[in-house]
Amino acid sequence: MVTTHKCQLNLKIVHLTISPLSNIISSRESSIAYTVYPIPVFHCYNPQHIHFPHRQNPNCSSTRRKMGARTVTVLNVAEKPSVARSVSTILSRNQGIRMREGRSRYNKIFEFSYSIRGQPCHMLFTSVTGHLMELEFDERFRKWHSCDPADLYHAPVRKFVPEDKKDIKRTLEEEARRCQWLVLWLDCDREGENIAFEVVDVCTMANQNLTIKRARFSALIDREIHQAVQNLVEPNKWFADAVDARQEIDLRIGASFTRFQTMLMKDAFIIDTASGDRNLVLSYGPCQFPTLGFVVERYWEIQAHEPEEFWTINCSHRSEEGLANFNWMRGHLFDYTCAVVIYEMCIEEPTATVTDVKQQEKLKYPPHPLNTIELEKRASRYFRMSSEHTMKVAEELYQAGFISYPRTETDSFSSRTDLHVGTCLYTIVQEQQAHPEWGTYAQRLLDPETGLWRNPRGGGHDDKAHPPIHPTKFSSGESNWSQDHHKLYELVVRHFLACVSKPAVGAETTVEIDIAGELFHASGRVVLERNYLDVYRYESWGGTMLPTYTVGQQFVPTTLTLDSGVTRPPPLLSEADLLTCMDKEGIGTDATMHDHIKKLLDRFYATKDANTRFTPTNLGEALVMGYDDMGYKLWKPYLRAAMERDMKSVSEGTKSKSEVLAISLQQMKACFLDARVNKLKLLEAMEIFFQRTNRAGGDELHATGEVVRQCGLCQESDMVLRKNRDGNFMVGCLGYPQCRNAVWLPGPVLEADVTANACNTCTPGPVYLIKFKFRRLEIPPNYSADHLGCIGGCDQILAELTEICGTGSRTGRARGPAAQTNNARQSNTRQVVCMNCQETGHSSNDCPSQRNARHRGTNQQNGEATVSCSSCGMPCVLRTANTENNRGRKFYKCQSQECNFFAWEDSLNTGTGGRNFTRSSSIPQANRGRNGGRGSRGRGRHNGSHAANTTFVSATGDPVSGRRCFVCGDPSHFANVCPIRGG
DNA sequence: GCAAGGTC
């Protein structure tokens, strides 16, 4: 039951409304005086009293004896303001509690008296708001052009308190100075433990003599909280270390790959985005990329889908009681001949015999209690709300006290929470009785005579910190609510009411029949009790009546048809699907998944349609394709899974933080260097989709270059390979202009790439070898155009070529192509003119005439013919089949989003319009659309949906003679392609 | 201008 309490807050009287969870869910000021309990305040600044932290262990009885009854001041810190409030309320038993402002407007300070194992304590309870600190590179590495991105794997990093958290830091410092103990009430997970150490860092800087303890609690209920404070433990450094390792790996990998791929490609291609801005960042992150990977993988699956025709036999029987539709127990067959043979058998002996009749009761259970991911998925499915928007609205409802904390993994109301069945769950339902729409249902739920109430089932997840999302305050709608606030609150309430309701009950009848040895079945359902379905209007449970049949009964089917259908690709991933993938593979947390999804849209990696389905953009597909072509699965969830395993090891103490960091970063750096050597794959993938700007190599090479060795002159910076605007190569010090150390390379160098191999001779190492390609006509004939060279001084060939041909620097020649390059780049940036049709208004990326050339597998560049779709006229791409029956066979597939045209190449080449081609092209339009496959979620050849493409009309009385068309009798074809039927 | 994780 919701109760109202009053306490004094900074000389004002505040009414605190306590929820069934003991959370304060609303407060308002009042001028009515109220008695508060006096709080004994003890401020001890005597160093003799506070300088022996080891003697002040609150769990140690000898300490308490030595300290006598002297009150200690305890600083308690929670992870969020709501927890500080709740725990303070519980510990103080809501008596004598005072609240005052801290430096931060969100993080109040509560004061009350308490006794920890007999030790009188003056408790100060405040909070942070999540992490207090951020990890960042040292200033020298902060700017993108300040270093080689590969340096970011070992650049110094530091933790610091960002500007928007400075007020919280000041509060902690000020309060810590007057306290003897620090008790950490952060959430009991790894992130919470890490935040605990951030708090410790700040507090001990202000007061080195603090006794530091950790309160471990798994729910915000009286028993747990009192137990936690009476059994304080040490903070767990392993847990915090695991998060430190994760943070550092995320930062180094993310920043290095992001800088690398942005500088490599941003200026090298004309990348059309909605904003078209210069600030385009091609980010990489260990969560955002696998999220993109899910989207691209599904898209590719759809693109690669080969429609396959299948066959099925359907039977119906109409009697006085109604119609029964019987489905073939074999499902469907892909072999036409087999299907026809069986069908003919049935036609010859069409009498059906009922072999089995089953009747059983079926239950449809209400959903599990709501956690964050489920809330996001359901809001997406029911209202098409984005997960990001859902969380924004949920946060607002939470802040206003209408729903419980919306970031929770927990999907069960357990006895550990204070939502005891029959008491508090009951109270929440009671509140909802007044609602005009679902109030009547709430009343029925509370009436014992209806028998509608049922204790909620759990889903098996528990984050040990928060209960499932549930309503905390009744509302029939607030004036400042948007439609989405209404919808989301309604969902939370209806979901909660459904959870405490009995399942729906249905009576299901299944009838099996035998026709010429083939089995068919039909089923019907009658919903006997709707129960939770009455309030959970988002779900339905259809009922179909079936006539009465008895075992042994015989009848002649009304229709018996051989029908064809085609398999269809799975649909694009919906937002709910994407959340499911992420949840399953451990990408992100319940509180961050929606951020990763939003990032795909913000970075122009994917788009979302009105049905909340995601399609990768050209940019997103190119990036995944580039890394995939390199052989790296950076877009798969494997890297994150490996990091999660490492984190677990660190948190269990089986691996150290430094060990995990060293190994992971070494591996990732090797991967990074290798990816950079293979950057051509990325560029090639981008070239499929985007027009080059004619600026060779992109900005990456000009901006930083690849590291060749450490500078021997200044001995501070790296020497990197660079190419100047004239196309000449040199290896220069990053410390320029302070350090002017440079090695100019021979003028005829056409290409140069730093490899991951170091020279065995030159010191100090490593001096990485460079793979050169020289212009054949500019070097003497006895030298090879390809050369793996070293600039460390050991390379005789390089020295000779420099001597013979000179360097780009000395000759200073400005070759024609370089000048043209610059001109072309400038004209491209001034005005986008299509390179194909010379028209403005679109770039060559979007030129309709070139659409075909942008798709993977396009054969235009190879001089092979392309075909236009005979259905919609759009270009088709040539692909290679990989299914069991057709492996290696080529087929054309329409690239239109709305068309699913498909034809075998060999059928087209022979000009015969062979059977497969004819069939494929004759697929009715209704079966073609990629979204027409909604609902068929399986994969592979058995992913077929049954299209209403009847090939044999009712044949119950027709004689069957040989294999011939049933429509015109011609033995040269079958009825499905009969010209009379228009096949 | 870069990550992901907390939370307001």
Side-chain angles (χ1 to χ4, degrees):
Chain A
M1 185 175 167
V2 173
T3 54
T4 302
H5 305 263
K6 303 166 196 170
C7 60
Q8 187 174 344
L9 308 176
N10 267 4
L11 303 178
K12 286 180 180 173
I13 302 300
V14 171
H15 290 240
L16 301 175
T17 306
I18 311 297
S19 79
L21 277 173
S22 297
N23 286 329
I24 297 170
I25 57 175
S26 71
S27 63
R28 63 187 171 83
E29 292 185 355
S30 162
S31 57
I32 303 169
Y34 189 79
T35 309
V36 294
Y37 284 79
I39 297 175
V41 179
F42 178 79
H43 292 169
C44 178
Y45 296 106
N46 183 342
Q48 286 184 334
H49 293 166
I50 58 175
H51 279 182
F52 303 95
H54 61 283
R55 287 163 57 185
Q56 296 181 10
N57 186 340
N59 290 341
C60 171
S61 56
S62 67
T63 300
R64 286 199 306 276
R65 277 196 300 276
K66 282 174 193 167
M67 294 176 74
R70 196 168 50 213
T71 302
V72 294
T73 310
V74 182
L75 176 59
N76 300 269
V77 184
E79 189 163 322
K80 40 190 164 282
S82 64
V83 172
R85 219 171 247 251
S86 297
V87 177
S88 298
T89 308
I90 291 170
L91 290 181
S92 67
R93 300 185 195 279
N94 208 33
Q95 293 184 331
I97 186 169
R98 293 187 301 172
M99 184 180 81
R100 61 183 165 88
E101 297 292 325
R103 294 270 182 178
S104 153
R105 56 186 286 225
Y106 300 111
N107 306 86
K108 315 290 182 192
I109 303 163
F110 300 89
E111 294 193 44
F112 53 91
S113 298
Y114 194 74
S115 174
I116 301 177
R117 295 202 164 200
Q119 168 66 55
C121 299
H122 174 52
M123 304 285 266
L124 307 181
F125 217 121
T126 187
S127 56
V128 288
T129 45
H131 276 288
L132 189 56
M133 295 179 170
E134 285 180 10
L135 192 68
E136 190 49 278
F137 292 110
D138 263 9
E139 186 59 41
R140 191 165 85 76
F141 297 88
R142 208 79 61 81
K143 286 205 163 54
W144 279 39
H145 289 176
S146 66
C147 67
D148 177 358
D151 292 344
L152 299 177
Y153 285 91
H154 51 78
V157 288
R158 66 182 186 97
K159 270 193 168 185
F160 72 104
V161 179
E163 206 52 45
D164 61 338
K165 299 286 175 73
K166 285 275 170 65
D167 284 341
I168 299 174
K169 179 174 179 261
R170 278 189 209 111
T171 300
L172 291 177
E173 287 168 343
E174 286 169 10
E175 302 303 328
R177 283 192 196 108
R178 53 183 286 218
C179 290
Q180 290 83 56
W181 297 354
L182 170 65
V183 179
L184 303 155
W185 291 84
L186 290 304
D187 288 359
C188 291
D189 53 22
R190 287 195 296 235
E191 293 295 335
E193 212 66 26
N194 190 271
I195 299 169
F197 278 88
E198 293 174 355
V199 171
V200 168
D201 279 357
V202 167
C203 291
T204 52
M205 283 295 280
N207 179 355
Q208 295 182 349
N209 300 308
L210 282 170
T211 297
I212 297 160
K213 286 290 166 185
R214 177 79 158 104
R216 290 213 176 282
F217 60 105
S218 54
L220 292 171
I221 55 171
D222 290 27
R223 180 166 44 83
E224 285 273 345
I225 296 302
H226 286 291
Q227 243 173 33
V229 76
Q230 297 300 335
N231 296 283
L232 296 170
V233 294
E234 300 296 321
N236 186 335
K237 190 76 172 77
W238 288 342
F239 269 41
D241 279 353
V243 173
D244 279 341
R246 195 266 306 149
Q247 285 179 342
E248 196 172 327
I249 294 169
D250 281 349
L251 175 65
R252 292 185 190 280
I253 295 175
S256 58
F257 272 93
T258 300
R259 289 186 191 182
F260 158 65
Q261 63 188 28
T262 303
M263 292 194 289
L264 175 67
M265 296 183 292
K266 189 179 81 170
D267 292 333
F269 296 93
I270 303 168
I271 302 172
D272 296 335
T273 58
S275 60
D277 60 327
R278 283 273 305 163
N279 297 327
L280 182 72
V281 172
L282 309 186
S283 65
Y284 172 85
C287 283
Q288 54 177 270
F289 243 54
T291 307
L292 172 63
F294 293 131
V295 173
V296 173
E297 201 163 32
R298 173 58 65 89
Y299 180 72
W300 283 350
E301 203 178 328
I302 294 167
Q303 294 292 303
H305 179 78
E306 302 160 40
E308 273 195 272
E309 195 167 22
F310 59 79
W311 301 85
T312 186
I313 302 174
N314 290 308
C315 168
S316 71
H317 178 228
R318 182 174 289 285
S319 65
E320 288 177 359
E321 288 185 54
L323 181 71
N325 289 310
F326 290 87
N327 298 314
W328 196 17
M329 295 282 264
R330 291 181 194 269
H332 49 257
L333 292 182
F334 287 94
D335 190 311
Y336 175 70
T337 312
C338 283
V340 168
V341 167
I342 296 170
Y343 177 68
E344 286 170 352
M345 283 162 46
C346 294
I347 295 298
E348 283 173 357
E349 296 178 33
T351 305
T353 307
V354 178
T355 55
D356 192 22
V357 178
K358 277 200 189 85
Q359 282 187 325
Q360 50 187 162
E361 188 181 88
K362 287 273 178 180
L363 299 178
K364 183 173 173 62
Y365 284 93
H368 295 139
L370 204 53
N371 64 13
T372 305
I373 296 170
E374 208 53 39
L375 175 73
E376 290 173 353
K377 281 156 76 168
R378 287 176 190 263
S380 173
R381 278 203 295 265
Y382 304 152
F383 317 130
R384 296 184 180 178
M385 275 167 69
S386 74
S387 50
E388 189 241 346
H389 184 59
T390 297
M391 289 312 290
K392 184 172 175 289
V393 175
E395 179 71 27
E396 285 164 7
L397 289 172
Y398 161 68
Q399 292 293 338
F402 293 103
I403 65 170
S404 63
Y405 190 68
R407 288 185 283 272
T408 174
E409 291 173 32
T410 310
D411 58 6
S412 51
F413 292 110
S414 72
S415 57
R416 293 166 60 78
T417 71
D418 62 350
L419 285 170
H420 299 298
V421 175
T423 55
C424 289
L425 289 184
Y426 207 78
T427 311
I428 297 171
V429 180
Q430 268 183 329
E431 279 191 344
Q432 298 294 335
Q433 289 181 104
H435 199 276
E437 286 185 43
W438 54 78
T440 315
Y441 184 86
Q443 288 165 19
R444 279 174 53 207
L445 203 50
L446 294 172
D447 181 355
E449 286 188 11
T450 62
L452 192 54
W453 181 280
R454 187 206 56 148
N455 292 348
R457 296 193 312 160
H461 298 96
D462 189 353
D463 63 13
K464 313 274 189 200
H466 305 287
I469 303 166
H470 63 276
T472 49
K473 188 165 64 172
F474 170 79
S475 174
S476 56
E478 305 295 311
S479 58
N480 60 343
W481 280 8
S482 68
Q483 281 295 313
D484 291 340
H485 288 83
H486 282 278
K487 285 179 187 168
L488 214 61
Y489 180 73
E490 182 175 349
L491 172 60
V492 171
V493 176
R494 286 187 185 271
H495 195 102
F496 177 80
L497 295 176
C499 286
V500 293
S501 300
K502 276 175 64 176
V505 184
E508 261 190 21
T509 306
T510 313
V511 178
E512 268 183 34
I513 58 168
D514 180 319
I515 303 174
E518 284 301 300
L519 297 179
F520 298 78
H521 70 101
S523 60
R525 184 194 302 125
V526 179
V527 179
L528 303 175
E529 297 174 31
R530 286 185 51 79
N531 295 335
Y532 89 92
L533 289 173
D534 278 337
V535 72
Y536 208 59
R537 60 187 177 86
Y538 316 106
E539 286 183 358
S540 61
W541 203 29
T544 48
M545 289 291 287
L546 209 60
T548 310
Y549 290 97
T550 52
V551 175
Q553 178 187 342
Q554 291 197 319
F555 61 86
V556 176
T558 310
T559 63
L560 188 61
T561 58
L562 180 62
D563 299 330
S564 75
V566 285
T567 59
R568 286 183 293 208
L572 290 162
L573 279 188
S574 70
E575 186 146 6
D577 296 334
L578 195 49
L579 286 163
T580 304
C581 292
M582 295 171 76
D583 188 28
K584 191 174 152 214
E585 300 293 345
I587 301 300
T589 67
D590 54 314
T592 61
M593 283 181 191
H594 65 273
D595 283 334
H596 302 312
I597 294 175
K598 183 170 180 288
K599 189 148 276 178
L600 297 193
L601 305 174
D602 291 345
R603 297 283 188 225
F604 309 106
Y605 289 170
T607 55
K608 187 167 70 166
D609 65 21
N611 292 321
T612 79
R613 295 191 180 273
F614 288 85
T615 308
T617 60
N618 287 344
L619 180 59
E621 190 180 356
L623 287 172
V624 172
M625 194 187 287
Y627 286 112
D628 191 47
D629 288 347
M630 283 181 203
Y632 284 126
K633 302 294 180 191
L634 291 172
W635 50 281
K636 287 278 197 179
Y638 312 144
L639 176 64
R640 198 66 188 168
M643 283 169 66
E644 185 57 38
R645 283 196 296 275
D646 281 341
M647 280 201 16
K648 194 159 181 289
S649 301
V650 174
S651 65
E652 288 168 350
T654 52
K655 282 185 186 172
S656 70
K657 176 174 93 173
S658 55
E659 186 185 347
V660 162
L661 274 174
I663 294 172
S664 294
L665 292 175
Q666 187 190 24
Q667 289 171 347
M668 281 311 298
K669 185 176 181 182
C671 172
F672 176 81
L673 292 174
D674 202 42
R676 200 160 62 175
V677 168
N678 289 304
K679 66 186 179 205
L680 202 58
K681 298 283 186 191
L682 268 175
L683 295 169
E684 282 171 356
M686 287 289 286
E687 270 179 347
I688 294 174
F689 300 94
F690 299 103
Q691 185 70 41
R692 291 290 301 233
T693 58
N694 294 329
R695 187 173 171 182
D699 189 39
E700 182 237 16
L701 205 60
H702 301 291
T704 57
E706 297 163 54
V707 175
V708 181
R709 68 180 306 180
Q710 197 186 27
C711 178
L713 189 62
C714 68
Q715 297 190 342
E716 274 189 3
S717 302
D718 288 328
M719 303 275 290
V720 298
L721 177 68
R722 289 172 186 271
K723 185 181 183 183
N724 70 9
R725 295 287 180 213
D726 292 335
N728 299 316
F729 286 86
M730 54 90 79
V731 176
C733 178
L734 275 176
Y736 181 87
Q738 283 76 27
C739 177
R740 293 175 174 267
N741 192 11
V743 178
W744 286 91
L745 296 166
V749 173
L750 178 64
E751 291 173 14
D753 280 305
V754 181
T755 69
N757 303 323
C759 175
N760 294 325
T761 326
C762 294
T763 55
V767 181
Y768 291 103
L769 300 180
I770 300 174
K771 197 172 148 193
F772 291 104
K773 195 173 200 54
F774 299 113
R775 289 184 195 85
R776 177 72 272 175
L777 296 177
E778 294 181 24
I779 58 171
N782 55 329
Y783 288 85
S784 168
D786 295 302
H787 175 62
L788 186 64
C790 174
I791 57 118
C794 68
D795 191 334
Q796 194 59 37
I797 294 174
L798 208 58
E800 288 170 10
L801 283 175
T802 307
E803 186 61 33
I804 297 166
C805 311
T807 66
S809 167
R810 286 191 201 125
T811 52
R813 62 195 158 196
R815 283 184 289 274
Q820 284 170 13
T821 297
N822 281 339
N823 290 340
R825 182 172 58 82
Q826 283 164 13
S827 70
N828 277 334
T829 51
R830 280 195 203 111
Q831 186 182 26
V832 178
V833 178
C834 177
M835 305 289 279
N836 302 308
C837 65
Q838 309 305 316
E839 286 184 7
T840 54
H842 65 265
S843 76
S844 54
N845 299 323
D846 294 325
C847 180
S849 67
Q850 292 297 302
R851 182 179 179 135
N852 193 28
R854 295 202 310 276
H855 286 280
R856 192 181 203 194
T858 300
N859 43 40
Q860 198 177 48
Q861 288 171 342
N862 299 332
E864 295 175 31
T866 56
V867 297
S868 294
C869 175
S870 67
S871 177
C872 70
M874 290 301 288
C876 295
V877 290
L878 186 62
R879 294 178 182 277
T880 306
N882 197 29
T883 52
E884 200 180 326
N885 292 338
N886 294 303
R887 190 160 287 129
R889 199 172 168 195
K890 303 227 181 246
F891 64 92
Y892 285 98
K893 194 153 187 307
C894 181
Q895 286 303 287
S896 167
Q897 301 271 322
E898 307 303 325
C899 177
N900 209 22
F901 174 84
F902 161 89
W904 293 110
E905 187 199 32
D906 46 21
S907 302
L908 286 184
N909 290 343
T910 57
T912 58
R915 184 175 172 225
N916 284 310
F917 174 59
T918 306
R919 280 194 185 169
S920 302
S921 62
S922 67
I923 297 165
Q925 191 65 39
N927 295 333
R928 285 197 181 135
R930 74 170 58 207
N931 290 330
R934 210 175 298 130
S936 61
R937 297 292 317 285
R939 294 177 182 186
R941 68 201 310 255
H942 295 292
N943 178 32
S945 55
H946 297 260
N949 187 21
T950 305
T951 51
F952 289 80
V953 291
S954 174
T956 50
D958 293 344
V960 177
S961 56
R963 308 248 169 89
R964 61 176 62 227
C965 175
F966 276 89
V967 178
C968 66
D970 189 335
S972 68
H973 66 263
F974 295 99
N976 61 309
V977 290
C978 176
I980 294 175
R981 288 185 64 236

